[in-house]
Amino acid sequence: MAEVLGTFEQAVLLALVRPKTPLGKEGYGRAIHKEVQLRLDREVSAGAVYATLDRLEKKGLISSEVREGTDQRGGLPRRYFSVEPAGIRALNESKAIVDRVWQGVPWPLKAPS
Amino acid sequence: MNRPMRAAPPGWAQSLLKSLLDSRDKHTIAGDLLEEYRERLSEGAPLRRVNVWYLKQVLSFAGWKGLRRALLPGCSAWAALAAVIEFILLFGIPASTGISAGRAVFYFVAGALVLSGAGAWRLPAEHGTMLRLSVLWSLPFIVTALLMLRTTPFTPAPGVAVFLFSLPAAAIHASARNGNPALGIATALMTSCFMGVLTLAATELLHHPHPPVSSLPFVPAVGAVLGATGGIFGSRFGRCAKTELIRLSLARTL
């Protein structure tokens, strides 16, 4: 059985797998941060995103490499992330679990009157 | 290159960020935040709001791991060093040399100030300023000393008073010129050395009583402490005065 992911972890992985913006397609830390905010439709702290990226990398779901930075960032390097096959499996499994849990349940739920 | 491309978050916030991150992510995350910082400025966001945003991002890294990384090595090393220095000053030196703990602390503080004042020597352009101001602020002492030597009975009180006035005055004068407290310390030190040597030479030549030569280090030590006080005040005063001048000239122009 693949890794079961939390909602935030899924958002971070999906930001890498299916970015919605041209910046998101670049796949480095800041791009993922913005993409996650867009996907969750709320302000998210950088610390939360980088901590999740770190955790996902330790689990072997993503990998990263450092490349040279641009003038816009004072020449500081960028860390580019990419999804590993295990990351895709974990996303599929997480989606399947959510679908199984919701199977046969009409949505949206109505509060009991 | 336009303003947002050169803009940078406050230095202390950048240092805090780097201290919270491990060596692997230190530069990449700092670069990501700097890039976003500049983009927000280029989009026209007010500087204050962008600085607050940056600080919020920095603090978001201050989890237990980040705090442990930031505090443990640096603070522990400084606390251990401070404890060792305190022990040496309060117990080690008094027990081995007979010098009182108070005097040991005074000389230690003066020594540290002398070292910080020595930083001003790295500015060759200021050497002339230091020399001129030291001579200038030694003049009142020389005049007082000459008058004192002619008066009977001899009393050192006026000389001490002028000494205590001239040193902070020299430091204020020097540091107000370029806003650097170290220049004030160095000038006060130089002035106190002039005064010490002049006093020693004059009293020796005129066969007047003077304190033992072994007490001479006390003079530059006082110079360093008074110089630091004057230097800090002078640098603040100089900056305020410059800001006020700029404000006035802008008001006139507009």
Side-chain angles (χ1 to χ4, degrees):
Chain A
M1 189 176 160
E3 187 79 37
V4 179
L5 302 168
T7 313
F8 200 79
E9 287 177 321
Q10 289 179 47
V12 171
L13 271 175
L14 282 170
L16 269 170
V17 178
R18 292 280 186 276
K20 290 178 174 175
T21 60
L23 175 67
K25 285 180 184 146
E26 292 194 38
Y28 67 101
R30 174 178 163 251
I32 298 168
H33 183 198
K34 297 203 95 166
E35 194 69 31
V36 169
Q37 292 188 125
L38 185 72
R39 202 166 274 278
L40 295 176
D41 195 24
R42 65 180 165 92
E43 189 89 0
V44 172
S45 71
V49 174
Y50 289 101
T52 306
L53 286 168
D54 193 38
R55 196 168 54 246
L56 292 174
E57 196 170 5
K58 279 183 183 146
K59 287 179 182 175
L61 305 183
I62 59 172
S63 56
S64 71
E65 61 169 323
V66 177
R67 287 185 224 152
E68 269 184 25
T70 56
D71 280 348
Q72 201 194 348
R73 49 193 283 128
L76 291 165
R78 278 177 178 170
R79 181 174 291 282
Y80 288 86
F81 295 87
S82 51
V83 186
E84 293 294 309
I88 302 291
R89 279 199 300 275
L91 268 178
N92 283 331
E93 182 72 22
S94 302
K95 174 79 169 72
I97 289 172
V98 172
D99 287 347
R100 272 202 302 275
V101 168
W102 279 88
Q103 207 168 27
V105 180
W107 189 86
L109 294 174
K110 290 193 174 72
S113 50
Chain B
M1 204 178 266
N2 57 17
R3 188 182 70 89
M5 278 293 280
R6 281 179 316 195
W12 60 268
Q14 292 186 68
S15 305
L16 178 63
L17 174 69
K18 286 184 178 171
S19 67
L20 290 170
L21 299 171
D22 60 21
S23 54
R24 177 183 179 266
D25 295 323
K26 199 176 278 188
H27 300 298
T28 51
I29 294 179
D32 285 346
L33 292 186
L34 178 63
E35 202 177 316
E36 180 66 19
Y37 179 90
R38 287 177 172 169
E39 188 174 295
R40 285 178 180 236
L41 279 180
S42 69
E43 285 168 356
L47 181 64
R48 186 183 290 262
R49 192 183 296 167
V50 180
N51 278 338
V52 169
W53 169 84
Y54 186 87
L55 187 59
K56 274 170 72 180
Q57 303 311 310
V58 171
L59 293 178
S60 73
F61 290 96
W64 165 240
K65 262 170 78 177
L67 283 178
R68 199 176 52 185
R69 195 177 294 120
L71 297 179
L72 277 182
C75 288
S76 306
W78 281 110
L81 182 66
V84 169
I85 290 172
E86 277 174 35
F87 182 81
I88 292 170
L89 291 175
L90 299 178
F91 303 105
I93 292 178
S96 59
T97 61
I99 294 173
S100 69
R103 182 167 280 218
V105 171
F106 173 73
Y107 276 117
F108 175 76
V109 171
L113 291 172
V114 167
L115 284 178
S116 64
W121 285 104
R122 286 180 303 183
L123 309 165
E126 302 293 356
H127 289 176
T129 307
M130 283 189 270
L131 189 65
R132 273 197 306 278
L133 294 181
S134 299
V135 172
L136 176 72
W137 284 103
S138 297
L139 289 177
F141 180 79
I142 294 168
V143 173
T144 312
L146 289 173
L147 292 172
M148 276 163 48
L149 292 170
R150 290 177 182 204
T151 53
T152 47
F154 175 78
T155 169
V160 173
V162 173
F163 175 80
L164 294 176
F165 169 77
S166 300
L167 293 181
I172 291 170
H173 194 164
S175 57
R177 290 169 76 105
N178 72 348
N180 182 359
L183 190 66
I185 299 174
T187 308
L189 259 174
M190 198 185 267
T191 313
S192 66
C193 290
F194 276 161
M195 291 174 177
V197 171
L198 282 171
T199 308
L200 191 67
T203 49
E204 196 65 33
L205 285 171
L206 299 168
H207 308 292
H208 269 274
H210 60 74
V213 178
S214 59
S215 68
L216 262 186
F218 186 70
V219 176
V222 172
V225 173
L226 292 178
T229 315
I232 291 166
F233 181 75
S235 61
R236 297 277 166 191
F237 175 76
R239 271 184 219 141
C240 292
K242 270 179 201 160
T243 313
E244 186 62 14
L245 276 174
I246 292 166
R247 195 182 67 75
L248 283 173
S249 64
L250 273 174
R252 265 190 218 131
T253 317
L254 296 170

